[in-house]
Amino acid sequence: MIVTLVLGTLIGYSLGVEAANFFTGMREQSLLSSPLRRVLSVMVISLIPGFGATFFFLYQSRMADVEAHAETLRRQAAETQLRLLESQLEPHMLFNTLANLRVLIGMDPARAQTMLDHLIAFLRATLAGSRAERHPLQDEFARIADYLALMQVRMGARLRFDFDLPETLADVTVPPLLLQPLVENAIKHGLEAHVGGGTLRVRAARDGDDLLLDVEDNGAGFDPSAVPTPGGGFGTTQVRERLAVACGPDARLEIRRREGGGTLARIRMPVPAPAPAA
C-alpha cells in the first residue's frame, strides 16, 4: 500500500504538471527535475491525506470484519442455547405424560392403551419436526391438538378445547414446541385443579406488526405473582428464554388472570416471514 501511494503520488503529480503545461503553455518543472526540498514538500503534502484515507478505510474494513465475526458467534451461541432449551423441554413433557399414563394403567387399562397410542403418534410427529429451528404455526397447533388428545383420554369430559388459527397466519413460522409449556401449565394449574374442568382455547391473531399467541383457560386460575414451588416455573421460564433467543427483546410473554376466572398467557412477538414453500 505504501509503495502504491508513493508511486501514485509521483506519477500523478508528474502527469498533472505535463497536462497543465500542455493546456496553459507554461513550462512548470516536473517533480523529477525539481529541487529535493520541493520534491519532499510535495510528497509530504500529498501523502498525508493519502495515508489518512488509506488507514481510515482499512480500519473500517477490519471493524466490519470483526463485527461480522462477532455476529456469527452470537448467532451460533443463540442457536446452541435454543437447542439446549428444546432438549430440556421434550423430556419434561414426556415425563409428565408417562406419569399420567402410569396412574391410568392401574385405573383403566383400556383408556391407558388409547392414551399410549396417542403418545406414540405424538412422539413420532414431534421427533420428525422438532429438529428444525422454526416450523409453520399450523404445525404447532397440530402438535398441541395431539397433546390435548392425550390429556383428554385421562381427563375425559372435564377437558374441552378449541383452536382459532386464521388462514392468513397458518404459514407464519415459530420455534417448535413454543406453546407446549403454556398448555401444560393451563391444564396443571387451571383445569386439573378445577372440579368441573373447563375449556382451553389456543388462538393466533395479528396486531399490527406483532403476532399474538394466546393460551387461555377458564379453570381455577393461576396467580403470576405467587412464589413458585421448588422445581416449578419451568414452563414460563423456558418460554421466555426461547423468545429471547429466537426473537430478541421485542418478544415477550404476559400472564394474567381472566375476569370471571381462569388465566390468559399471551406471547407477543414480531411477525416472522412465512415458511418457504416445499
Side-chain angles (χ1 to χ4, degrees):
M1 186 65 71
I2 293 174
V3 172
T4 301
L5 287 172
V6 172
L7 291 178
T9 300
L10 289 172
I11 296 173
Y13 186 88
S14 298
L15 291 178
V17 169
E18 293 300 326
N21 289 339
F22 176 78
F23 287 108
T24 63
M26 299 176 62
R27 291 292 178 264
E28 184 71 23
Q29 287 183 327
S30 68
L31 195 60
L32 297 178
S33 59
S34 298
L36 179 61
R37 183 174 180 179
R38 183 185 178 198
V39 172
L40 292 177
S41 299
V42 170
M43 292 295 295
V44 169
I45 293 173
S46 301
L47 288 176
I48 286 177
F51 276 119
T54 298
F55 285 113
F56 172 77
F57 288 112
L58 181 63
Y59 174 79
Q60 291 287 87
S61 175
R62 290 189 175 179
M63 287 300 296
D65 290 341
V66 169
E67 181 62 28
H69 182 63
E71 180 61 30
T72 299
L73 293 178
R74 284 194 294 267
R75 185 168 56 254
Q76 291 174 347
E79 292 173 354
T80 301
Q81 183 181 359
L82 186 57
R83 295 299 183 195
L84 176 61
L85 291 170
E86 289 176 352
S87 69
Q88 292 173 333
L89 171 62
E90 291 171 12
H92 178 78
M93 183 281 300
L94 180 59
F95 292 152
N96 282 351
T97 305
L98 290 176
N100 293 332
L101 183 61
R102 182 178 184 275
V103 173
L104 196 59
I105 288 174
M107 297 174 55
D108 190 339
R111 290 175 62 194
Q113 183 174 353
T114 301
M115 187 176 188
L116 184 59
D117 291 338
H118 282 297
L119 177 60
I120 292 172
F122 174 77
L123 290 178
R124 183 179 291 113
T126 298
L127 293 175
S130 63
R131 296 299 178 256
E133 292 183 18
R134 287 177 175 264
H135 67 174
L137 197 52
Q138 59 187 352
D139 290 353
E140 182 77 3
F141 273 60
R143 288 190 190 173
I144 295 298
D146 289 335
Y147 175 76
L148 290 175
L150 282 171
M151 295 297 99
Q152 203 168 41
V153 172
R154 183 169 60 86
M155 295 180 62
R158 294 179 62 238
L159 173 60
R160 300 172 295 278
F161 58 88
D162 64 67
F163 296 144
D164 182 8
L165 176 60
E167 186 176 348
T168 55
L169 298 177
D171 291 330
V172 170
T173 58
V174 296
L177 301 173
L178 181 64
L179 298 178
Q180 181 75 36
L182 302 181
V183 171
E184 288 189 43
N185 278 348
I187 292 176
K188 179 179 179 180
H189 299 290
L191 302 182
E192 280 190 328
H194 200 247
V195 176
T199 300
L200 178 67
R201 294 182 175 86
V202 183
R203 296 188 301 265
R206 183 162 185 163
D207 181 18
D209 293 331
D210 289 341
L211 173 67
L212 303 182
L213 299 174
D214 291 348
V215 175
E216 183 180 25
D217 69 82
N218 59 354
F222 169 68
D223 184 1
S225 64
V227 178
T229 58
F234 173 87
T236 54
T237 299
Q238 197 269 349
V239 171
R240 288 191 170 98
E241 289 181 353
R242 295 190 74 199
L243 286 173
V245 171
C247 306
D250 293 332
R252 61 185 182 273
L253 169 64
E254 306 164 351
I255 301 178
R256 63 175 182 267
R257 285 181 175 273
R258 292 177 64 252
E259 293 185 9
T263 305
L264 170 63
R266 168 169 290 177
I267 292 176
R268 180 182 291 271
M269 58 188 291
V271 177

